[in-house]
Amino acid sequence: MRVIPAVLCLLLCQIFSSYAQQAQPSVKNSPTIISTGKDDPWWQHAVIYEVYPRSFQDSNNDGIGDIKGIESRLQYLKDLGIDAIWITPMYPSPQVDFGYDISDYEAIDPQYGTMGDFDVLLKTANSLGIRVIMDIVLNHTSDQNPWFKESASSLNNPKRDWYIWRDGKNGSYPNNWQSWFGHSAWTLDPKTNQYYYHYFYTQQPDLNWRNPEVRKAMYGIMRYWLDKGVSGFRMDAVSRLFEDVELHDDPYLPGYNAFGDRNIQHKYTDDLPEVHDVFRELRKLADSYPNHPVLIAEADEPTIGDLSKMYGAQSDEVQLPMDFQIADVNELSAPRFRKLFAEVENNPAHGWPEYFFSNHDQVRQWERYGDGAHNAQIAKLMAVLELMPRGTPQMYYGEEIGMRTTEPARKEDVRDPIGITGWPKEKGRDGERTPMQWSPASPNAGFTSPSVTPWLPVPPNARTVNVETEKSDPNSLLNFYKALLRLRHTEPALLSGSYVTINPDDQHVFAFLRRLPAGSHGRDVLVALNMSSQSQTIQLRVPDAKHGSLRVKVLVSNYAVPMSSLDLDQTILPPFGAVVVAVE
Ligand code: NOJ
């Protein structure tokens, strides 16, 4: 059992000061901790930041973000405290799905720059201690990819079997499988009179992963990028690599979706067992590189059991399957978050958690957790929830300044095709992909020149919600993120401490402890988040501790902390109050 030294500082603190401002850690900027040792993988200490290249920074004034633009903002990311960037696809693409339809896997789309620009980006990022993670789309290609063009050219083309081609049934589709983006997952190619399968858009035909040549080609592509020095891949839609060879119909579920189709369970097109053979092969490939590349799986698995399988029975598959269970929570609920963080923490494979609250496919966290009245306070609370647990957090550009989701007002303004198919129920994903808001400059917030029309409009709130303005406001969300990120990189309990749930039955306050291993010197870190709109008074029960004797210091909080409330036996948390406390 761990012995906690008895100190009377709590009392002294209360005497010396009645209020601490929104407390921020006093630590200095210190070098990012990046380890390359096998036993201490870098990705466990890293904070990953997703860059959507179209929307991050335009350097050549064509209204579309680009690689030179990203490069020019690396120092900003370094100062923020980011260890790795995941950049969504920048390969040549017809851009039907804004890069997730790739026509050439070993090149850069001229919209974003050149391979030379990419090499400079990689070098500059690495010199700043920032790793670059590529997005790789293994499940499908663009229909403009030369592989598909060959495959479609005749029934007996050598690449015919690289994709999933089937005859129709009774003059219609081969079966009832549906595309995630609406309607049948089969499209008839009149030339050969067969249907090809696509889990996503018609222009994104699925590869046939049962064909060894497909695997070989994809692994070659991954080597190409790893040889350049990238630090891993975020693997798009990987649970969908295989489909049932016998084409069983998927079971229907009650109701209809936003596209007007019957709801369906993707039973025969998702999570087929063969996917684990591929994961093991991918892991071997990654492990053969000395910089320990990481594999991150886009894994919107229905249960933690399914997610856990992705780590592999021998921890020999994906290091970081993204936890969509957490990301999909659409309410601020202490019991729900407590349960889900505990579940991933105790996953049967003992895998390392990876979680996020915003990305380029879903409504930003500002709206999903904001109640309309306390959104700024809640945004800070969510930052604490994101950056303090044990695991690898993944941020999305702009969340650190509180960017909102800004949906198109009219169907004719929609750029994301699902927003056109599903309008008005499904407005697409443009709303969470608007340009990064760098400055108050009107009209384009420093994303691109004021005389240019950006590919998506810059939201009007950019005049106040932007990096430049928030930099100079000590109480801004941006500075709050910076403080948390510094703390995360310097506080031993946050780097290597375990995660212990406390107050397990509280309906409003989600609290946990980051605990140093027994016998180690240093302090534990306690986190308490009031997820309700009422003030809460609670006893924060630190296990094994003699409460009166604990030394307590507020490290960060999203409210002015009355020092008297630092009594762990009776802590007062204001509505949506979040506090991070050192205890020893
Ligand atoms: C998941 C990606 O995140 C999404 O943006 C894309 O549309 C689909 N996969 C298809 O690649």
Side-chain angles (χ1 to χ4, degrees):
M1 190 191 293
R2 207 161 157 264
V3 180
I4 298 180
V7 189
L8 292 173
C9 175
L10 170 60
L11 189 62
L12 293 174
C13 291
Q14 287 174 354
I15 295 168
F16 286 132
S17 167
S18 58
Y19 270 89
Q21 277 310 299
Q22 293 198 16
Q24 312 224 326
S26 56
V27 286
K28 297 224 166 62
N29 249 335
S30 61
T32 310
I33 295 176
I34 293 183
S35 161
T36 49
K38 258 219 141 118
D39 297 336
D40 186 18
W42 63 269
W43 40 267
Q44 293 189 348
H45 290 309
V47 174
I48 300 173
Y49 184 99
E50 179 189 351
V51 173
Y52 196 71
R54 273 186 105 68
S55 298
F56 200 56
Q57 176 68 66
D58 179 15
S59 77
N60 63 351
N61 294 330
D62 62 357
I64 295 172
D66 47 47
I67 294 175
K68 282 193 172 148
I70 300 172
E71 193 207 328
S72 72
R73 296 298 186 178
L74 286 173
Q75 190 60 51
Y76 163 78
L77 295 172
K78 177 72 191 166
D79 295 344
L80 180 59
I82 298 305
D83 307 291
I85 50 174
W86 146 37
I87 312 177
T88 63
M90 297 185 293
Y91 315 91
S93 159
Q95 305 289 338
V96 172
D97 194 13
F98 298 109
Y100 284 99
D101 45 327
I102 300 174
S103 50
D104 182 352
Y105 283 79
E106 292 184 2
I108 293 290
D109 193 304
Q111 286 192 9
Y112 298 126
T114 64
M115 190 59 86
D117 296 339
F118 178 81
D119 292 338
V120 173
L121 172 75
L122 186 59
K123 205 164 156 229
T124 316
N126 287 347
S127 71
L128 287 169
I130 297 176
R131 296 169 192 265
V132 176
I133 296 169
M134 297 296 280
D135 204 321
I136 187 89
V137 184
L138 301 171
N139 180 65
H140 49 270
T141 68
S142 160
D143 61 351
Q144 298 307 304
N145 190 302
W147 296 347
F148 185 72
K149 287 187 177 171
E150 272 191 58
S151 182
S153 64
S154 72
L155 285 170
N156 51 15
N157 181 278
K159 285 207 168 50
R160 186 67 175 177
D161 185 51
W162 280 40
Y163 293 83
I164 317 283
W165 292 98
R166 293 288 184 276
D167 291 329
K169 206 167 104 187
N170 307 328
S172 185
Y173 304 118
N175 67 7
N176 76 345
W177 292 350
Q178 276 177 24
S179 160
W180 191 253
F181 290 158
H183 313 325
S184 173
W186 297 99
T187 291
L188 181 65
D189 176 36
K191 187 164 177 206
T192 54
N193 201 29
Q194 276 197 319
Y195 289 84
Y196 65 88
Y197 171 72
H198 49 91
Y199 193 95
F200 297 98
Y201 290 125
T202 310
Q203 298 88 340
Q204 292 170 301
D206 271 47
L207 285 160
N208 175 14
W209 274 82
R210 293 198 172 87
N211 183 319
E213 288 178 27
V214 167
R215 292 192 189 196
K216 205 170 145 210
M218 275 301 180
Y219 299 161
I221 286 161
M222 291 170 84
R223 275 198 202 92
Y224 173 85
W225 292 100
L226 290 170
D227 289 343
K228 277 186 175 288
V230 305
S231 290
F233 297 96
R234 176 269 189 187
M235 305 186 296
D236 186 70
V238 270
S239 61
R240 280 120 199 195
L241 294 186
F242 292 89
E243 303 76 28
D244 175 35
V245 269
E246 288 173 16
L247 301 197
H248 285 101
D249 274 347
D250 273 334
Y252 285 112
L253 300 170
Y256 289 81
N257 63 23
F259 307 108
D261 305 319
R262 286 183 70 177
N263 285 327
I264 210 163
Q265 181 198 352
H266 294 266
K267 180 173 174 182
Y268 294 107
T269 55
D270 200 354
D271 274 328
L272 269 68
E274 292 95 320
V275 83
H276 295 283
D277 302 333
V278 174
F279 288 163
R280 279 188 290 274
E281 290 172 4
L282 290 168
R283 181 60 180 277
K284 267 199 195 126
L285 194 160
D287 283 351
S288 68
Y289 280 78
N291 62 339
H292 306 305
V294 67
L295 298 175
I296 304 174
E298 189 200 20
D300 46 344
E301 300 304 289
T303 66
I304 193 71
D306 295 302
L307 183 88
S308 186
K309 285 185 200 152
M310 293 202 164
Y311 293 109
Q314 311 295 327
S315 301
D316 52 356
E317 299 185 26
V318 174
Q319 292 106 320
L320 295 180
M322 295 174 172
D323 189 334
F324 275 77
Q325 306 273 313
I326 290 175
D328 286 345
V329 173
N330 284 327
E331 55 172 346
L332 204 53
S333 156
R336 282 196 74 187
F337 280 124
R338 183 186 297 120
K339 176 173 175 283
L340 292 171
F341 273 92
E343 275 184 7
V344 69
E345 182 63 28
N346 297 306
N347 70 77
H350 307 293
W352 188 260
E354 206 267 18
Y355 51 86
F356 62 99
F357 297 112
S358 293
N359 74 9
H360 63 285
D361 291 329
Q362 63 194 87
V363 170
R364 284 179 177 272
Q365 64 210 59
W366 182 272
E367 285 82 18
R368 286 200 302 129
Y369 305 111
D371 66 348
H374 306 87
N375 287 31
Q377 178 84 345
I378 293 171
K380 287 182 176 171
L381 175 142
M382 291 309 293
V384 175
L385 181 60
E386 186 166 17
L387 296 173
M388 296 294 104
R390 196 187 77 106
T392 300
Q394 183 191 293
M395 292 173 56
Y396 183 47
Y397 80 94
E399 72 168 69
E400 72 275 21
I401 54 169
M403 274 179 62
R404 327 301 201 236
T405 307
T406 312
E407 287 180 332
R410 307 174 313 168
K411 187 176 175 183
E412 51 270 41
D413 298 330
V414 175
R415 300 294 306 269
D416 181 17
I418 52 170
I420 299 168
T421 327
W423 190 272
K425 278 191 186 157
E426 167 62 70
K427 293 185 174 163
R429 298 162 291 179
D430 296 350
E432 51 266 26
R433 298 173 176 180
T434 56
M436 177 68 177
Q437 299 168 196
W438 294 105
S439 76
S442 185
N444 290 332
F447 164 70
T448 186
S449 151
S451 57
V452 166
T453 304
W455 82 281
L456 283 177
V458 172
N461 72 1
R463 277 168 188 267
T464 48
V465 178
N466 64 72
V467 171
E468 203 178 300
T469 306
E470 293 194 30
K471 247 188 193 169
S472 51
D473 172 2
N475 282 327
S476 68
L477 183 59
L478 178 62
N479 281 320
F480 192 76
Y481 264 89
K482 273 191 190 168
L484 287 170
L485 284 159
R486 272 201 303 275
L487 192 63
R488 196 189 151 89
H489 286 110
T490 48
E491 191 67 36
L494 295 174
L495 284 164
S496 56
S498 60
Y499 170 94
V500 182
T501 308
I502 61 172
N503 296 64
D505 300 320
D506 198 292
Q507 290 304 300
H508 305 293
V509 177
F510 175 28
F512 56 88
L513 195 67
R514 296 296 310 279
R515 174 152 263 198
L516 281 171
S520 51
H521 292 291
R523 52 202 194 171
D524 294 338
V525 172
L526 186 150
V527 179
L529 308 156
N530 178 4
M531 297 195 165
S532 78
S533 56
Q534 269 91 47
S535 178
Q536 302 291 337
T537 304
I538 68 162
Q539 182 191 24
L540 289 164
R541 289 184 225 106
V542 177
D544 312 331
K546 258 212 220 146
H547 270 218
S549 63
L550 283 179
R551 186 163 64 174
V552 180
K553 185 180 171 215
V554 175
L555 299 171
V556 180
S557 65
N558 68 349
Y559 61 101
V561 186
M563 281 301 191
S564 57
S565 77
L566 282 182
D567 181 354
L568 295 184
D569 287 331
Q570 212 189 14
T571 302
I572 302 162
L573 287 162
F576 307 112
V579 69
V580 181
V581 181
V583 280
E584 47 186 332

